[in-house]
Amino acid sequence: MKKNFRLKTLCCLIALSGCGGGSSSSELTDDTIQTIQPIPLFNSNPIKLIDASSYYSHACSNPSFQFLIPTKINNDEHIDFIAHFWCDSLTPAEYDTEPTPDALVAYVSNDYGEYVIDNISVFGEINAKLGGASRKYSRGDINNDGKDDFAFAMNWEDGRASFDHESMISNYAKPAILLSNESGYEVIKLGIDDWGHSVQIKDNKVFFAGHSSQAFEFIDSYWINIPDVYPNLSFASFLIYDDFIINSIRKGPSQGLELIRNNEVISSIMIEEAFKVNFESWNNSGSNNYSELGVYNIRGENYFDGMISEMCRKDDIIVATINASKLISGEIIEGGFYSETETSPVVIFSFYEIVNNDLQELDINVIDEEINHNFNFFDCIDVNNDQKKDIVAQVFSQQWNEQDNNKGIPEVYINDDNSYFNLDTSNWPTYSDNDDSQGYLFDVDGNGTSDLVVFPIKVNTSGSIEIYITNKNITD
């Protein structure tokens, strides 16, 4: 949906008073016509945050750029950022017991909107790290000091082999937390090692899920283990919703959502698999190590896997993404042998609500939904100041993908009451480096409008960050 800007002209009629014979005259001239040019949505010159190569190079030269987290560290009007990088295995498909190398970087702003890296002040050391690869993070205020805290689901899933070792312990890592203090953040690792995948914060409690569930409560500067309160958190995705837990779950040949209250499943929505195939994952590529995998029919199409991998709460509605994959060419045949390298990802939105302790799916239309753009994360936020929460998908813009490359621009779905429409972003600025990229919307300069933040998926040529400041509402 395109927004057309109108040229506005202001015509000034100037009355000229004569001093001699008591007469007056007026006329309209070209000099009195002023044309007001439309205000551009974005500033043409982005704010650039420097490549943090001197900080992540102790880990590796070409890390994955997992997160660029907006937060407030100092007291100026601009948002600060915390970046997390982690490295791929140097010996993919081989067994390894060493931690995945990683690096934290703090970008701190000043009153002029300029940024410097200040790990010493923020983390207390130059080479700060979380202890592995981060999969997801959650934001909250655990210690009730008015500042954001962050919890990370952690693992060592960097391409190393896992198929021939019991418990797949080579991919296990401790959960991590960035807990705010007076100057910045303290890195805390707690709990047991796990193949961490999901995490949530609620008040002073933090919840982790992988092959096991872990929950902790922060009381009087101490972490209290509370595993019996939340024993069954889903590794795939879970959402803490008031007194409920919503779990993305797979049971036998079925997958879907379960609604849990007081450790009891009180409602569920499950989809039966259509059939099974033999599937070789990307980190086992070429090993002929196949596992059975379910194929699910979603909206009339067959897809590999097809499980809900992320959820957010939008007022009283649960927004979820179904992550699946499809064959690049051909049809999926029951009992066939397939490799992940023969597939491309799809991501499909679905919507739910809780009515009288019953989980129900909603029929909400997403106009021009782009399911072929791959992403892990999305935001449920109001990006155009109409008091309605929209959906912003942090698309991976990858050159190998045959779909249109967004070059860092997220997919923006504007809330139109009973539906969403895909906002036309074809004229938005893109990430300037010719590299795989990602991006999101956030009000960086505090002027009330959403700005565009873009950065690479993996540091191949540069790890620089670009912030395009908006001059007005993105739907004006």
Side-chain angles (χ1 to χ4, degrees), residues 52 56 63-66 83-87 101-105 107 132 459 463:
Y56 60 67
S64 292
F65 199 149
Q66 182 71 4
H84 188 231
F85 303 87
W86 58 267
C87 305
D102 76 295
L104 285 166
V105 176
Y107 290 93
V459 179

Side-chain angles (χ1 to χ4, degrees), residues 314-333:
K314 189 185 75 65
D315 301 322
D316 292 329
I317 293 176
I318 300 114
V319 184
T321 46
I322 303 172
N323 277 60
S325 60
K326 64 180 182 180
L327 275 180
I328 295 173
S329 62
E331 296 291 330
I332 305 174
I333 307 300

Side-chain angles (χ1 to χ4, degrees), residues 236-273:
S237 181
F238 67 91
L239 184 67
I240 307 295
Y241 185 115
D242 296 339
D243 295 329
F244 301 101
I245 298 171
I246 304 169
N247 262 345
S248 171
I249 198 74
R250 178 174 287 126
K251 289 186 175 180
S254 302
Q255 65 86 18
L257 292 178
E258 287 185 341
L259 183 65
I260 299 172
R261 190 171 193 172
N262 296 327
N263 293 331
E264 180 183 353
V265 177
I266 60 174
S267 178
S268 65
I269 297 176
M270 305 296 287
I271 302 174
E272 293 287 329
E273 70 180 30

Side-chain angles (χ1 to χ4, degrees), residues 18-311:
C19 300
S23 64
S24 64
S25 65
S26 62
E27 65 176 321
L28 188 65
T29 67
D30 290 341
D31 292 339
T32 62
I33 300 176
Q34 300 178 7
T35 301
I36 300 177
Q37 296 295 328
I39 299 173
L41 177 57
F42 293 98
N43 288 346
S44 57
N45 295 321
I47 298 172
K48 292 190 175 182
L49 280 60
I50 64 170
D51 184 353
S53 58
S54 59
Y55 289 82
Y56 60 67
S57 59
H58 76 274
C60 62
S61 61
N62 59 341
S64 292
F65 199 149
Q66 182 71 4
F67 293 122
L68 180 67
I69 302 173
T71 188
K72 292 289 290 184
I73 297 175
N74 59 15
N75 295 321
D76 64 34
E77 64 181 10
H78 286 79
I79 288 294
D80 309 296
F81 296 93
I82 295 173
H84 188 231
F85 303 87
W86 58 267
C87 305
D88 289 327
S89 172
L90 296 176
T91 57
E94 294 185 14
Y95 185 70
D96 191 359
T97 58
E98 292 300 312
T100 297
D102 76 295
L104 285 166
V105 176
Y107 290 93
V108 182
S109 62
N110 62 24
D111 291 332
Y112 304 101
E114 301 167 337
Y115 287 84
V116 297
I117 296 175
D118 193 359
N119 275 14
I120 290 290
S121 295
V122 176
F123 302 123
E125 58 178 315
I126 293 176
N127 295 328
K129 60 183 69 176
L130 290 177
S134 53
R135 177 59 182 88
K136 295 180 182 179
Y137 79 88
S138 183
R139 182 193 302 263
D141 186 3
I142 300 171
N143 55 5
N144 198 31
D145 65 352
K147 301 177 184 178
D148 288 336
D149 303 305
F150 303 95
F152 297 84
M154 301 294 296
N155 57 60
W156 294 349
E157 187 183 353
D158 53 14
R160 67 185 65 191
S162 61
F163 58 85
D164 59 348
H165 290 267
E166 292 184 4
S167 302
M168 292 175 277
I169 198 168
S170 64
N171 280 334
Y172 279 23
K174 283 191 183 301
I177 291 173
L178 287 179
L179 192 68
S180 60
N181 54 35
E182 289 186 3
S183 60
Y185 287 93
E186 177 187 3
V187 179
I188 295 172
K189 301 171 187 176
L190 75 170
I192 62 172
D193 292 355
D194 195 9
W195 196 336
H197 193 274
S198 297
V199 59
Q200 289 269 287
I201 294 174
K202 182 183 179 183
D203 301 325
N204 65 331
K205 300 182 181 69
V206 60
F207 313 89
F208 301 97
H211 286 159
S212 60
S213 297
Q214 301 185 66
F216 304 90
E217 188 171 11
F218 188 71
I219 301 176
D220 295 331
S221 300
Y222 292 96
W223 293 98
I224 310 300
N225 194 357
I226 52 172
D228 296 335
V229 181
Y230 301 91
N232 297 305
L233 302 172
S234 170
F235 77 94
S237 181
F238 67 91
L239 184 67
I240 307 295
Y241 185 115
D242 296 339
D243 295 329
F244 301 101
I245 298 171
I246 304 169
N247 262 345
S248 171
I249 198 74
R250 178 174 287 126
K251 289 186 175 180
S254 302
Q255 65 86 18
L257 292 178
E258 287 185 341
L259 183 65
I260 299 172
R261 190 171 193 172
N262 296 327
N263 293 331
E264 180 183 353
V265 177
I266 60 174
S267 178
S268 65
I269 297 176
M270 305 296 287
I271 302 174
E272 293 287 329
E273 70 180 30
F275 52 83
K276 289 185 181 296
V277 296
N278 302 286
F279 199 79
E280 181 186 62
S281 62
W282 69 272
N283 57 326
N284 291 338
S285 180
S287 68
N288 291 321
N289 190 278
Y290 290 90
S291 300
E292 280 194 329
L293 183 68
V295 173
Y296 294 85
N297 190 275
I298 303 169
R299 300 180 187 173
E301 299 288 338
N302 285 334
Y303 297 102
F304 297 111
D305 211 6
M307 194 170 186
I308 289 174
S309 62
E310 188 75 351
M311 291 181 278

